[in-house]
Amino acid sequence: AERRARMAAESLLQQKQRELSSANRKLGEHAKLLSEEIIEKRQEVRIVRSQAEKLKGQNTKVREDLDRATKQAVVAERRLWDAIETIQDGFAVFNGKDQLVIANRAYLAMFDGLDGVRPGVTFPDLLDLMVDEGLVDIGHQDPVKWKDFMVGRWDHDPIEPLTLKLWNDSYVKFLDRRAHDGDMVSLALNITDTIRHERELAEARDRAEAAARAKTAFLANMSHEIRTPMNGVVGMSELLIESSLDEEQQLYAETIRNSAEALLVIINDVLDYSKIEAEKLVLHPEAFDLERAINEVLVLLQPTATDKGLELLLDFDLFLPTRFVADPGRMRQVLTNLIGNAVKFTTEGHVLVRVTGYPEEGNNSNYTLHISVEDTGIGIAEDKIEAIFGEFNQVEDERNRKYEGTGLGLAITQQLVELMGGEIWVDSELGEGSCFGFQVSVEAEDVPAPDSMKIPEGLRSAMVVDDLPINRTILEKQLTAMGLTVTTHSNADAALADNPEHVNMVLVDHSSMDLDGLTFTQKLRARGCNTPVILMTANPSFVSQAEGANNLFAIMQKPLLRRDLYERLRELGLWLASAPAPAPQPITTQEPELQRMRLLAAEDNKTNQLVFRKMVKSLDLDLEFANNGREAVDAFKSFRPHLVFMDISMPEMDGKEATRTIRTFEAGLGMERTPICALTAHAMDGDDQGILAAGLDFYLTKPLKKAAILDRIRQHVPEGVIIEPEDSAAAVA
């Protein structure tokens, strides 16, 4: 029992030892975990303390930055307010309830120190103060309506600027803008000096316009007063040159005429430039034939070119329309200036006018035209080109000091082209010639069909004989476009050697280098060759003298009009198709029954009557004069003229009124319209619009030119009337 008790006690002791060991092990593990947790918490505490220290430093920095920013904001606000107070214009801010928040002294000064104008006052209250105290000049407006207008103005977005006149005769312009937060910022700009300056400018403009009107009236009157006696000088000098004079007298007479014409050019340039400068020059578009207009300018300059041995050439694109809508007078002026300059500064070679163009995209009736004038003259140095279009400018060097002129021609030309909506340019090389060109956009009146220039079947080949390469090229291009096979030769001998019988026609220049055109034709006929020959000549008198020359199909004046050339070739083609065997005979017309043409001239100046009578004395006319418009009307009713020349400025009744009376008389009797040509010395008032509106058909500007008078008469010879005397025709033959 004792042993069993001891063994049980030992077993219990071992069990308790095991339990104690397990408890100690658990206690150790728990102590270890607790120790680790304490270490971790201590680490977290250290981190938190560190972060707290950092936040404490940042908070201090933020507080310092905030203090610094506050101080800077205070300084900036003070500086801004000082700046706003410094400016002379008013500045104010209203809140969303239209209450005044702030305003500078300049803004408050508009209210003349009224006590009620302080922060918190509303905008409508300010308007009441302005009206009640007479601070604003509202004129005859109703005060209530004016205040309603001012309040309603703030509701618009954007708010339109408004100018008010204040009690002290100052003007303030209000610029108001609503901010995104609802505040209204108002600027009151003092524009008193600006208004005063604008008034001064308006008064100065009125004075300048009055001076311009006076200058225009003076120039118009001066034009008439100068041109009337110049008509006598130029006209009588032309008649004197045609009389029997010895060599010295002929020189004197030509000097008088040339000097008068030079003076006339200067007057025209000055008047035109004055009109452009005063912006009084107005374009009057109408349909006209551009190719014929260019040809007329070339014919006018042909005598000068012939004297210098120059060829005048025209290259008009075959497929380009000829009739366009523009101001024909101003277009001729541009062409005359450019072509005249080319002839003036060219001593040998040629002057070529080239016309090309193309329809504008989207509108086939509108064309962009390129017109260039090329010459082989003295040229322009590169450093002088920039100044060539300046007023009163002419390139100064030893090569062109002998050429006279006002220096206004190209300046006027440039402004006319720009007035037409175009542009002008120049390319030139010193000693090699120049090319002046301009581009305009115009409406075409008629667009030619693609086959409108095709020649009938009878004419298929042609030979061109001309010593000028550029002219051969132009003719070859035109004839080829008409469907012809073209052979060209530079001289008559080469053409004869090529056997002209193998072609349907020969186009030969009369002034060839080796043989003239008539001699060439005679040699052709002597060889038994019956090929039709068309002779080209630049001499207008030769055309009239040789019109009936044997062996020629036709004589055409250079430069050839495209339409005239086509018509001649079409006639030749039809003739060849119907009767190709015999040689063509000269085209003749049936002799009309002899009858005199009745001509009425209304002119109050006796000298001008004498000049006119002498100018037309070479024609067989029944001429009657009228001394004023009333006499012209009476003479028209009794004389029944075929053509009337009507002076515009006449006593008792002027030319326009007389024409209107004649047109009324014609309409009452159902008569055909009689052509009436105006004669005017009023270059400033001579635009055709006013003249045509009065019922006149054409106009000529004084001083009158004999060639222009005779040409106008010949254009209106009625059927069955002959104006060339028989002895004159015999003398020509």
Side-chain angles (χ1 to χ4, degrees):
E2 188 177 313
R3 189 171 47 254
R4 286 194 296 271
R6 188 175 61 251
M7 290 177 64
E10 289 176 355
S11 177
L12 180 61
L13 177 62
Q14 291 176 355
Q15 180 181 355
K16 292 299 181 182
Q17 286 177 344
R18 286 195 298 271
E19 291 178 356
L20 179 62
S21 176
S22 177
N24 286 334
R25 187 174 60 254
K26 290 181 179 179
L27 183 61
E29 291 176 354
H30 181 70
K32 182 181 177 182
L33 290 175
L34 183 61
S35 175
E36 290 177 352
E37 184 177 355
I38 291 172
I39 292 172
E40 185 178 348
K41 292 298 182 183
R42 286 178 178 175
Q43 183 67 26
E44 289 178 358
V45 169
R46 282 197 297 271
I47 293 173
V48 169
R49 286 178 178 176
S50 175
Q51 290 177 344
E53 290 295 330
K54 289 181 179 179
L55 289 175
K56 180 179 179 181
Q58 290 178 357
N59 186 37
T60 304
K61 186 175 184 300
V62 168
R63 189 177 292 111
E64 292 175 353
D65 291 344
L66 182 60
D67 292 341
R68 189 182 306 108
T70 302
K71 293 179 181 179
Q72 291 176 349
V74 171
V75 173
E77 182 180 1
R78 185 178 68 251
R79 289 175 177 173
L80 176 61
W81 189 249
D82 290 342
I84 292 175
E85 288 290 358
T86 302
I87 62 176
Q88 297 180 353
D89 297 317
F91 174 83
V93 177
F94 295 81
N95 61 20
K97 298 180 180 180
D98 292 339
Q99 294 174 320
L100 180 64
V101 179
I102 57 173
N104 65 355
R105 284 192 295 268
Y107 192 91
L108 298 175
M110 294 188 298
F111 300 93
D112 197 26
L114 293 178
D115 294 334
V117 182
R118 60 171 62 91
V121 65
T122 64
F123 180 69
D125 291 339
L126 289 179
L127 297 177
D128 289 335
L129 288 173
M130 294 179 75
V131 174
D132 296 341
E133 298 295 334
L135 300 179
V136 62
D137 183 1
I138 64 174
H140 299 290
Q141 297 184 64
D142 181 74
V144 176
K145 291 182 178 179
W146 181 81
K147 287 185 287 186
D148 291 341
F149 164 76
M150 293 294 292
V151 172
R153 172 176 167 270
W154 277 37
D155 296 331
H156 289 84
D157 186 22
I159 303 174
E160 293 294 328
L162 177 69
T163 300
L164 296 179
K165 182 181 179 182
L166 302 184
W167 55 276
N168 56 359
D169 290 333
S170 62
Y171 290 85
V172 177
K173 184 175 184 179
F174 287 90
L175 302 176
D176 304 309
R177 181 178 178 182
R178 181 77 65 180
H180 295 296
D181 59 0
D183 287 354
M184 179 71 74
V185 178
S186 180
L187 291 177
L189 309 179
N190 191 330
I191 60 171
T192 305
D193 292 339
T194 303
I195 295 291
R196 185 179 297 113
H197 184 59
E198 288 177 352
R199 287 178 177 173
E200 293 173 353
L201 288 178
E203 293 173 357
R205 184 186 65 243
D206 292 340
R207 290 194 298 270
E209 289 178 351
R213 288 191 297 270
K215 182 178 71 172
T216 302
F218 167 74
L219 289 173
N221 185 62
M222 181 189 73
S223 168
H224 179 269
E225 295 301 324
I226 291 178
R227 287 169 180 269
T228 298
M230 280 188 65
N231 184 56
V233 174
V234 174
M236 294 305 288
S237 62
E238 284 188 348
L239 296 173
L240 184 61
I241 291 172
E242 294 177 358
S243 63
S244 300
L245 301 175
D246 59 34
E247 185 176 349
E248 186 175 10
Q249 292 170 333
Q250 186 82 11
L251 175 62
Y252 294 163
E254 290 178 354
T255 302
I256 294 173
R257 182 191 62 184
N258 294 340
S259 298
E261 290 179 346
L263 179 59
L264 182 62
V265 170
I266 294 173
I267 293 173
N268 288 338
D269 285 348
V270 172
L271 293 177
D272 274 341
Y273 188 75
S274 298
K275 291 174 71 176
I276 293 174
E277 183 186 40
E279 298 182 352
K280 299 297 184 183
L281 195 148
V282 180
L283 298 178
H284 302 292
E286 63 178 78
F288 76 107
D289 192 314
L290 175 62
E291 185 182 17
R292 192 165 295 278
I294 297 174
N295 185 265
E296 290 172 356
V297 174
L298 293 174
V299 170
L300 181 66
L301 296 170
Q302 187 67 62
T304 304
T306 302
D307 291 342
K308 301 175 74 171
L310 303 178
E311 283 277 357
L312 298 185
L313 307 174
L314 172 59
D315 182 10
F316 200 104
D317 189 349
L318 190 69
F319 300 105
L320 196 66
T322 60
R323 291 188 62 80
F324 296 95
V325 178
D327 188 323
R330 295 305 176 184
M331 186 67 79
R332 285 190 184 92
Q333 185 175 358
V334 170
L335 293 167
T336 301
N337 280 342
L338 295 181
I339 302 173
N341 270 359
V343 173
K344 178 180 179 181
F345 294 104
T346 303
T347 56
E348 59 182 12
H350 67 270
V351 173
L352 169 63
V353 182
R354 195 185 303 274
V355 183
T356 59
Y358 53 88
E360 296 179 358
E361 187 175 353
N363 188 353
N364 290 334
S365 63
N366 273 20
Y367 275 72
T368 298
L369 292 181
H370 293 265
I371 303 177
S372 61
V373 180
E374 306 169 16
D375 64 64
T376 55
I378 63 175
I380 306 168
E382 185 176 355
D383 60 338
K384 304 289 186 181
I385 290 181
E386 291 295 328
I388 198 68
F389 291 108
E391 297 88 349
F392 304 101
N393 283 351
Q394 193 178 78
V395 176
E396 289 289 343
D397 59 35
E398 66 278 1
R399 296 166 58 84
N400 70 340
R401 287 201 183 100
K402 61 182 178 180
Y403 303 110
E404 298 178 351
T406 61
L408 284 174
L410 288 177
I412 294 172
T413 299
Q414 182 185 41
Q415 296 191 52
L416 287 176
V417 170
E418 291 176 352
L419 192 62
M420 296 177 188
E423 59 178 339
I424 189 170
W425 65 87
V426 57
D427 293 318
S428 185
E429 186 175 345
L430 191 62
E432 298 296 328
S434 303
C435 176
F436 284 83
F438 66 97
Q439 171 185 309
V440 290
S441 176
V442 293
E443 179 184 354
E445 190 184 52
D446 57 342
V447 179
D451 297 331
S452 61
M453 288 288 183
K454 292 299 182 182
I455 302 299
E457 292 294 332
L459 185 59
R460 278 289 168 260
S461 59
M463 177 182 290
V464 175
V465 185
D466 196 306
D467 57 357
L468 197 64
I470 185 66
N471 206 26
R472 293 199 302 273
T473 302
I474 293 172
L475 289 171
E476 182 179 10
K477 180 178 67 174
Q478 292 180 340
L479 295 175
T480 301
M482 293 180 188
L484 301 181
T485 302
V486 183
T487 305
T488 63
H489 293 288
S490 61
N491 58 75
D493 289 336
L496 290 171
D498 192 24
N499 188 14
E501 291 184 356
H502 75 278
V503 296
N504 296 131
M505 58 87 64
V506 177
L507 198 62
V508 60
D509 183 26
H510 177 57
S511 58
S512 184
M513 295 180 64
D514 51 354
L515 293 177
D516 62 63
L518 289 178
T519 306
F520 168 81
T521 307
Q522 290 170 359
K523 286 194 172 188
L524 201 64
R525 299 293 178 251
R527 293 171 48 174
C529 178
N530 295 323
T531 302
V533 176
I534 295 179
L535 187 69
M536 302 178 295
T537 178
N539 187 351
S541 61
F542 180 80
V543 174
S544 59
Q545 293 174 14
E547 190 66 43
N550 292 325
N551 302 322
L552 295 176
F553 180 81
I555 299 175
M556 301 188 68
Q557 182 173 342
K558 297 170 59 179
L560 305 183
L561 276 176
R562 176 181 68 167
R563 176 60 60 178
D564 292 348
L565 176 61
Y566 167 74
E567 288 297 332
R568 287 293 192 181
L569 296 183
R570 189 181 65 84
E571 293 171 3
L572 178 57
L574 293 173
W575 182 86
L576 289 173
S578 60
Q585 297 297 319
I587 299 174
T588 59
T589 57
Q590 185 177 358
E591 186 70 21
E593 183 181 350
L594 185 62
Q595 182 183 353
R596 299 185 76 192
M597 181 179 182
R598 295 185 300 276
L599 192 68
L600 173 62
E603 173 61 68
D604 63 309
N605 187 284
K606 296 298 182 181
T607 301
N608 289 344
Q609 288 185 10
L610 175 61
V611 171
F612 190 92
R613 185 184 299 277
K614 295 296 185 182
M615 283 183 171
V616 301
K617 71 176 182 178
S618 61
L619 302 180
D620 186 13
L621 301 171
D622 190 357
L623 176 62
E624 184 169 320
F625 282 101
N627 297 308
N628 55 60
R630 196 172 304 281
E631 288 185 13
V633 173
D634 295 338
F636 181 87
K637 294 178 180 179
S638 59
F639 188 51
R640 299 294 175 89
H642 296 112
L643 176 64
V644 178
F645 285 92
M646 182 74 70
D647 186 26
I648 296 299
S649 298
M650 292 186 294
E652 296 191 33
M653 180 185 289
D654 64 21
K656 293 182 180 180
E657 182 62 29
T659 301
R660 283 190 285 265
T661 305
I662 289 174
R663 295 305 183 209
T664 303
F665 175 75
E666 288 177 330
L669 296 181
M671 296 173 55
E672 291 186 4
R673 184 183 178 99
T674 303
I676 302 179
C677 180
L679 306 177
T680 176
H682 283 289
M684 296 292 287
D685 300 329
D687 292 328
D688 53 1
Q689 187 177 22
I691 291 176
L692 296 178
L696 292 110
D697 300 290
F698 326 96
Y699 78 100
L700 296 175
T701 305
K702 296 180 180 179
L704 304 177
K705 296 295 184 69
K706 179 179 178 180
I709 292 290
L710 297 183
D711 181 62
R712 181 58 63 189
I713 294 174
R714 290 190 175 104
Q715 290 180 23
H716 298 283
V717 177
E719 186 177 354
V721 173
I722 188 168
I723 61 174
E724 304 292 347
E726 293 184 2
D727 56 347
S728 175
V732 171

